[in-house]
Each structure stands twice: as C-alpha cells, then as structure tokens.
Amino acid sequence: MNIKADIGLIGLAVMGENIVINMESKGFRVAVYNRTTEKVRNFIEGRAKGRGIVGAYSVKELAELLDRPRKVMLLVRAGAAVDALIEQLLEVLEPGDLIIDGGNSEFTDTIRRTARVEKSGLLYIGTGVSGGEEGALKGPSMMPGGSTAAWPLVKPIFQAICATADDGKGGSSPCCDWVGEGGAGHFVKMVHNGIEYGDMQLICEAYQLMRELTGMSADEARDVFAAWNEAELDSYLIAITRDILGRKDGDGSALVDKILDTAGQKGTGKWTGITALHEGVPLTLISEAVFARCLSAMKEERMTASAAFSSLLPKISPFGGDRAAFIEDIRRALYAAKIVSYAQGFSLMRAAAATYKWNLNYGGVAMMWRGGCIIRSVFLGKIKEAFDNNPDLANLLMDPFFRESVSAGAEGWRNVVATAALHGIPTPAMSASLNYFHGYISEKLPANLLQAQRDYFGAHTYERTDAPRGKFFHTDWTGEGGSTSSTEYVI
C-alpha cells in the first residue's frame, strides 16, 4: 500500500522547491505538482531524488496522493492563477479538505476566496511567507489566517518548518502563529512588506548621505553599517547592506557603484499605502518609500532634469564639519525614523482590525517577524515588550522605551534632514517620518484654517474650541450662501 503524502504543493519555482525541501527535511512527506509538468520531472529526478517527495502530473493525481483531510498549498503568482487553481481543486477535493495560498495575495482577495471555499464545504488559509529563497529553505516567518478550523490541520507542519526566535524567557518560539480570520494573515504580511519598503529606503538614504555629504567610500560606509549592526540597529537588512557595500566587482571596485539606480517593486508596498488611505491612517513614511522607487524608475527623465538643473546639484567636497558626529546623527535619524515606520504600520493594523473585526495579537505579530523574515531585527523584541506592557497601546511612540529613544535622537534627526535639504540631497522617508513625528506631537495644527476653507467653499461645517466635540457649525462666509450646510443636503 502506497504511503499517502502529508501535504501537497503546487508551484515549483524557487520558493516552492525550497519550501518542499524544508518540509521533507522536517519529516513530512510531500506531493508536488506544477502546471509545466517538466518542472515536476526535473525536480523529482534532481533536488528531490531520494527524498520523501512524490510527483503528480495533474491536479487530480495530486489529490489522490494526499492523506485526508487533504492539504494543498499554492505557491504561484498572485491574482488570476490562484483563482483558477482554487476552482480546479474544488472539483477534486472534498468537504473538510484544506487549500492554502502561500503567495503574496492581496488580503481582500483572500477574504473573498475564504468565503468561496468555505461555501463549498472546504477550509482555506491565506498565509504570508517571508524570508525569500533562503528563508523558504531554512525557516521563514509565516503569517496564516483564514478558516479558523484549518489552523490545527497545518500548525504542526508550519511551526516545524518556520524560523524560531528568542522568546525573551530563556527559550525560543516559532515565528508562525494564527493571525485571524479571513484575510488577516495576508494583511499582516502586506504590512510587513510595507515596513520592509520603509526600512530599505531609510537605509538607502543613510548610505547616500554618507557618500554625498561626507565623501565616504563604499568600504568606509561598509564599516559604519558593520558597527551599527552590533547595536540597536542589529537587523537582517543592516547586515546585508554591510555585505553588499563590501562586495567587489571583477576589477576590484565596489560592485554597488556599478548597479543602475532604478528599483523594482511587486505591489505589496502600494497595497499598504492604498489600504492606509482607505483606513484614514497617515502611513507617510512607507508611502514615500513606495514613491521613491517610482521616482527611481524614471531614470532617463531624471538624467535630463539633472542636466537642466546641474548648477543646483549637490557636490561632494571635503566635509567641513565633524564627520564622526554627523555619522552619529545619521544613526540616530535612522533609528528614530525606523521607530516611526513601525509605529505607522502597527497603527494601520489596529485600524484594519477594527474594520474587519480581527483580534490581532500585536506582540505576537512582532514575534512572528523576529526571525526568518526580511525585517527581522532585535528591535522587534522591544515592540513585543511594548504590547505586553500595554495591549491597548494606540501608538508605539507612546511606549516609554520608544518615547525615550525618539526623544534622544530628535536633535540629530532634525540636523540630518535639515542638512540634507540645504545640500539638495533627497531624504523622502526620513523627512516624512520627521514631519509625522512633529505633527503627532503638535497640540495644535493648522487644520482649523483648512476646515474653515472647506466650510467656505462647500459648507462642510466645523467644530469650535468653545463648544463640545461633535457639535458642528456653519458660517455664511460670503453673505450669499444661506444657512444650509452639506450635512443637511438631501440628494
């Protein structure tokens, strides 16, 4: 009698192959299928040879190879391909079976798909998987959500293959736990990716300041990032920046200097910004990081503009100030801006949780990101502590540790942004984070004038400082508008 597989996987690209090898190495038998069946054959006869991995050459055959309740994980391109495979699987699976989408699907699609699959009597999970090629093989961070009844079916597999991290109590915990119903898992992964955009842009701005303002070589910048990685900025992204800056090309020069300055993106950062607009959350830093990539892609246009405004471009010259002190200011600015990035991301999660009725464990989310994923860092342990101390914390900036950290870095942060502006060096993410911080701590903003403008041209009403909140007023600013306000319009 043939031994049935514990789980099936569809999609044998790099992530799919590595997840399968990871699962098999933890003692699970895996059945695999790919639309291009030649990939199945090559995998079975290559990397999977001699392992507990079996190949299938149709969706139906894959279903027949699985133990019940059957579990099928998809690692394919987000979008129409996922919907098409779900429909194929619904024809060969049975009530109680489980479909898992491990790709970077938009969370609203996961909400819709969960309802579709559950209506057919099956279970559905949309799980974020972070860590890239290496993480998939050695232990990713995983953020599952969907049908609550599905979690016990995959928990032993997911928590076996994911990364682990220090739990702060002398032990370790898996970087994977149940996030919530519907699209909660893919939503948390989306926010993760948005924060990733912000972290990467901040690091790039710090790098550019070192090169443009202080004239540092790539090797000198590498040494700075190496030192930073030994303290509170210790993280995967700082570590790989150190390694990238130290890599030489064939002629011995810095490889990074030969890489074209145009950045790509896959859309998750954009989704994060769009969702923030829907939720009314000021996700300014992450949005600027997305736009910075868009601006970088305009290479030819930027070259033309650079020639047209050449007299205004920054010039690298011997640094006139205390270089060590300025590098320390950059470190402080980077750390403070990073705090703002996470504060905005967690604020977005809190807003969406209220909208979609999710019971998110924010400290638990921080621990899921503590290992395996792209934004893993020691910093996340402090976020876990913040929410352990106050589960109802409205904004990370109000946690005592982060409040003190931002306060300590404020002077250097302001100096860096101001110096960059005076020298014509763009710092969109650092500037956005500083402006958010200034706005957040301002008791009074000029929105009183803005609201008066809205009432002037659109009769949108306003509240008064000398009246209770929730009581609205309208002024006939021109003497011709009458007393009707927009809240009284009947369409």
Side-chain angles (χ1 to χ4, degrees), residues 189-243:
K189 175 57 163 56
M190 179 195 74
V191 175
H192 164 284
N193 284 24
I195 291 173
E196 178 185 312
Y197 273 59
D199 272 0
M200 293 172 73
Q201 178 63 26
L202 289 169
I203 291 169
C204 290
E205 291 175 18
Y207 156 76
Q208 186 173 17
L209 289 165
M210 292 177 198
R211 301 300 300 272
E212 297 283 349
L213 271 183
T214 73
M216 276 189 171
S217 67
D219 282 339
E220 288 175 312
R222 178 212 173 274
D223 291 342
V224 171
F225 280 102
W228 286 356
N229 200 52
E230 298 299 320
E232 70 267 22
L233 284 169
D234 177 6
S235 67
Y236 173 75
L237 286 171
I238 293 288
I240 69 169
T241 301
R242 171 202 64 201
D243 296 344

Side-chain angles (χ1 to χ4, degrees), residues 115-416:
R116 166 75 177 99
V117 172
E118 288 181 343
K119 187 177 180 180
S120 297
L122 283 75
L123 303 173
Y124 192 79
I125 283 179
T127 183
V129 180
S130 179
E133 178 181 353
E134 181 182 11
L137 181 64
K138 298 180 180 179
S141 168
M142 302 182 72
M143 296 147 262
S147 306
T148 305
W151 177 228
L153 302 181
V154 294
K155 181 178 179 179
I157 299 176
F158 281 12
Q159 292 195 337
I161 68 171
C162 73
T164 59
D166 181 2
D167 62 5
K169 302 175 182 177
S172 62
S173 61
C175 296
C176 172
D177 207 347
W178 186 247
V179 177
E181 296 181 351
H186 273 138
F187 177 85
V188 168
K189 175 57 163 56
M190 179 195 74
V191 175
H192 164 284
N193 284 24
I195 291 173
E196 178 185 312
Y197 273 59
D199 272 0
M200 293 172 73
Q201 178 63 26
L202 289 169
I203 291 169
C204 290
E205 291 175 18
Y207 156 76
Q208 186 173 17
L209 289 165
M210 292 177 198
R211 301 300 300 272
E212 297 283 349
L213 271 183
T214 73
M216 276 189 171
S217 67
D219 282 339
E220 288 175 312
R222 178 212 173 274
D223 291 342
V224 171
F225 280 102
W228 286 356
N229 200 52
E230 298 299 320
E232 70 267 22
L233 284 169
D234 177 6
S235 67
Y236 173 75
L237 286 171
I238 293 288
I240 69 169
T241 301
R242 171 202 64 201
D243 296 344
I244 289 167
L245 293 172
R247 177 61 65 91
K248 305 299 181 185
D249 199 15
D251 61 1
S253 62
L255 176 60
V256 69
D257 291 338
K258 296 185 177 180
I259 297 174
L260 191 67
D261 59 321
T262 59
Q265 54 183 310
K266 290 188 174 180
T268 47
K270 176 183 70 176
W271 295 343
T272 313
I274 291 171
T275 304
L277 288 171
H278 286 314
E279 294 294 336
V281 174
L283 202 78
T284 54
L285 189 156
I286 292 170
S287 298
E288 283 292 349
V290 174
F291 290 135
R293 294 196 188 191
C294 296
L295 189 60
S296 79
M298 300 163 58
K299 178 64 176 179
E300 288 71 24
E301 194 171 339
R302 287 190 291 112
M303 291 174 68
T304 301
S306 177
F309 293 95
S310 59
S311 64
L312 297 178
L313 292 176
K315 300 293 192 297
I316 295 180
S317 58
F319 189 67
D322 184 333
R323 189 162 86 159
F326 188 66
I327 294 301
E328 174 61 13
D329 280 351
I330 295 175
R331 184 194 66 78
R332 290 176 181 272
L334 177 57
Y335 189 57
K338 181 183 176 77
I339 292 171
V340 167
S341 182
Y342 283 74
Q344 291 183 356
F346 275 83
S347 291
L348 177 58
M349 282 193 276
R350 182 174 292 280
T355 298
Y356 296 99
K357 306 297 187 294
W358 296 328
N359 184 25
L360 298 184
N361 179 343
Y362 303 107
V365 169
M367 286 307 295
M368 279 187 269
W369 294 346
R370 184 66 178 80
C373 70
I374 302 301
I375 64 171
R376 61 186 183 265
S377 67
V378 295
F379 176 91
L380 287 157
K382 294 298 184 182
I383 295 178
K384 171 69 161 57
E385 291 176 15
F387 284 108
D388 282 350
N389 293 334
N390 181 6
D392 297 321
L393 183 66
N395 191 303
L396 277 176
L397 290 171
M398 298 308 295
D399 171 74
F401 172 83
F402 291 113
R403 186 169 68 242
E404 181 180 335
S405 297
V406 170
S407 298
E411 184 178 351
W413 192 9
R414 288 166 175 159
N415 181 47
V416 166

Side-chain angles (χ1 to χ4, degrees), residues 2-13:
N2 291 332
I3 300 174
K4 297 286 188 179
D6 299 298
I7 189 169
L9 186 135
I10 298 177
L12 290 175

Side-chain angles (χ1 to χ4, degrees), residues 2-175:
N2 291 332
I3 300 174
K4 297 286 188 179
D6 299 298
I7 189 169
L9 186 135
I10 298 177
L12 290 175
V14 172
M15 288 290 288
E17 282 196 9
N18 284 349
I19 284 280
V20 169
I21 296 294
N22 186 349
M23 288 176 175
E24 192 276 341
S25 72
K26 301 300 189 298
F28 300 103
R29 187 171 176 81
V30 189
V32 299
Y33 167 71
N34 195 85
R35 185 180 63 175
T36 306
T37 54
E38 186 65 22
K39 281 193 172 184
V40 178
R41 185 171 292 104
N42 291 341
F43 181 56
I44 294 298
E45 295 175 358
R47 291 184 73 191
K49 190 172 183 178
R51 295 176 175 268
I53 300 170
V54 293
Y57 296 89
S58 70
V59 171
K60 185 174 185 297
E61 183 183 358
L62 180 76
E64 292 171 348
L65 290 171
L66 301 177
D67 193 17
R68 286 178 170 76
R70 291 171 288 196
K71 299 170 282 292
V72 180
M73 185 171 186
L74 315 180
L75 273 170
V76 299
R77 184 183 295 274
V82 177
D83 287 307
L85 279 170
I86 288 172
E87 294 307 314
Q88 292 180 52
L89 287 167
L90 289 178
E91 293 180 3
V92 298
L93 298 179
E94 301 171 350
D97 291 343
L98 167 61
I99 299 172
I100 307 156
D101 175 16
N104 267 334
S105 289
E106 196 165 0
F107 79 95
T108 50
D109 284 340
T110 304
I111 292 173
R112 170 178 57 80
R113 289 166 183 155
T114 301
R116 166 75 177 99
V117 172
E118 288 181 343
K119 187 177 180 180
S120 297
L122 283 75
L123 303 173
Y124 192 79
I125 283 179
T127 183
V129 180
S130 179
E133 178 181 353
E134 181 182 11
L137 181 64
K138 298 180 180 179
S141 168
M142 302 182 72
M143 296 147 262
S147 306
T148 305
W151 177 228
L153 302 181
V154 294
K155 181 178 179 179
I157 299 176
F158 281 12
Q159 292 195 337
I161 68 171
C162 73
T164 59
D166 181 2
D167 62 5
K169 302 175 182 177
S172 62
S173 61
C175 296

